[in-house]
Amino acid sequence: MSKIKSEKPDKEVYEIAICLSRMWGVAETLEPLPNVSFETARDVVIAWAGEFLTGEEKDLVKFFIRKIKEEQI
């Protein structure tokens, strides 16, 4: 997880986190993703949003697919 949780994320982080959350919900119906708590999902998507905004990736869908495949949530 990133330090985003302890800081106050700005609007852009929240907007990206909301998009990631929606993608996560869709992925849960299509992929065998583990059932995680609300707190875990919240922390993961906020961390991913911060990572996306500070990284080189420009395509949010590709970023999400890569993160879902990489992470052991």
Side-chain angles (χ1 to χ4, degrees), residues 22-70:
R22 294 183 74 186
M23 285 189 254
W24 187 318
V26 171
E28 285 179 319
T29 66
L30 301 173
E31 300 287 333
L33 297 179
N35 187 10
V36 298
S37 70
F38 169 80
E39 291 80 10
T40 299
R42 175 199 62 209
D43 294 347
V44 168
V45 297
I46 290 172
W48 287 357
E51 183 180 335
F52 178 76
L53 290 170
T54 59
E56 298 294 319
E57 182 74 56
K58 299 299 178 203
D59 186 322
L60 187 58
V61 174
K62 288 180 182 178
F63 173 84
F64 175 78
I65 291 169
R66 179 175 56 81
K67 295 305 286 184
I68 285 291
K69 289 179 180 177
E70 288 176 0

